[in-house]
Amino acid sequence: MRGRFITLEGGEGSGKSTLLKELAARLEAAGKTVVCTREPGGTALAESVRNLVLHPPAGQHWSPMAEALLMNTARTDHLEKLIRPALERGDWVLCDRFADSTRVYQSVSGGVSEDVLKLMEGFVVGETRPDMTLVLDAPVEAAAERREARAGTADTFEARGHEFHEKVRAAFLRIAQKEPARCVLIDASRPVDEVANAAWTAVQERLDIKAPATT
Ligand code: TMP
């Protein structure tokens, strides 16, 4: 039986990575084999593309169209080498960002038209659409504090201003509202364990996971 494909989406600093680890632990405790991965990235080649797109040489910028193509290049390799084989083995794939991030980031602020992005997504993703997407939503100010608390230099998107991040938040909310069969909106402004419990409840309900047997 094909495994399950769960994606986590939301603005930077919304707590996706922390939630992904927590969900993986709970799924493993429920007897699932879990593959944790991220986009852009997840394979050696896709990680090289990640570095290229998120950290262009000083003073250089990719256009939104070039970004969209690079994200989809990385995604193609990721799907071919990691995601599809894992799903065929029956594993559960948890992915930190996927195609919704391209829809959002490469279209906001006068980027690529939604029609063009949709076409690319159709070719690249094909039938490998997520079974479920957790959309983490938090006020931009709270997320900015979490981003600033993280070590390392800001990438090309993190470094953009408040207005950009507000548009990103609104665009993710629109996707969650438009596709309720796939997406679950999670209020990520709550304490970490409350967010994890809400997400876990949604995963159990939607993907029919039985609690592990206690002896
Ligand atoms: P993060 O996964 O560490 O948050 O960083 C990845 C950054 O890449 C984030 O700012 C969103 C951006 N991104 C896109 O612009 N398009 C995409 O398709 C994906 C997957 C990520």
Side-chain angles (χ1 to χ4, degrees):
M1 187 191 154
R2 176 190 181 273
R4 300 299 181 97
F5 185 23
I6 303 175
T7 58
L8 279 71
E9 299 276 7
E12 286 91 347
S14 56
K16 289 179 285 85
S17 312
T18 309
L19 177 61
L20 189 132
K21 285 190 205 120
E22 184 57 37
L23 281 180
R26 295 189 192 199
L27 283 167
E28 276 164 2
K32 311 293 179 196
T33 302
V34 181
V35 174
C36 293
T37 189
R38 69 171 181 181
E39 288 212 344
T43 61
L45 286 179
E47 289 290 332
S48 307
V49 175
R50 177 186 178 95
N51 195 37
L52 198 63
V53 68
L54 297 187
H55 301 284
Q60 302 289 316
H61 297 282
W62 297 104
S63 69
M65 177 59 86
E67 280 172 6
L69 291 164
L70 286 166
M71 296 296 178
N72 277 298
T73 302
R75 183 161 303 132
T76 300
D77 196 63
H78 192 204
L79 281 161
E80 287 170 356
K81 294 183 182 150
L82 192 141
I83 297 176
R84 290 188 187 122
L87 293 174
E88 277 158 28
R89 287 195 304 269
D91 295 352
W92 285 55
V93 177
L94 297 186
C95 192
D96 185 342
R97 297 193 182 282
F98 190 63
D100 293 317
S101 282
T102 313
R103 291 191 201 173
V104 168
Y105 285 86
Q106 277 63 60
S107 72
V108 293
S109 308
V112 184
S113 83
E114 287 183 17
D115 288 348
V116 171
L117 291 174
K118 220 175 181 174
L119 267 177
M120 287 186 198
E121 185 179 318
F123 286 130
V124 170
V125 174
E127 296 298 305
T128 320
R129 285 183 294 270
D131 296 295
M132 181 175 186
T133 298
L134 297 159
V135 179
L136 273 66
D137 178 62
V140 168
E141 295 74 18
E145 280 171 23
R146 282 199 206 158
R147 283 200 305 277
E148 277 155 24
R150 280 203 299 238
T153 36
D155 67 39
T156 184
F157 296 100
E158 284 171 336
R160 293 183 196 179
H162 184 90
E163 200 190 329
F164 175 83
H165 293 290
E166 285 288 6
K167 285 185 182 162
V168 164
R169 182 184 185 198
F172 276 122
L173 282 172
R174 274 199 301 279
I175 292 177
Q177 279 155 6
K178 253 171 77 177
E179 294 188 51
R182 172 174 67 90
C183 299
V184 178
L185 189 64
I186 303 280
D187 172 2
S189 62
R190 294 172 291 176
V192 173
D193 56 338
E194 280 182 35
V195 173
N197 288 339
W200 178 234
T201 302
V203 169
Q204 283 177 298
E205 281 171 5
R206 293 204 174 198
L207 301 182
D208 195 23
I209 298 171
K210 310 276 177 288
T214 47
T215 47

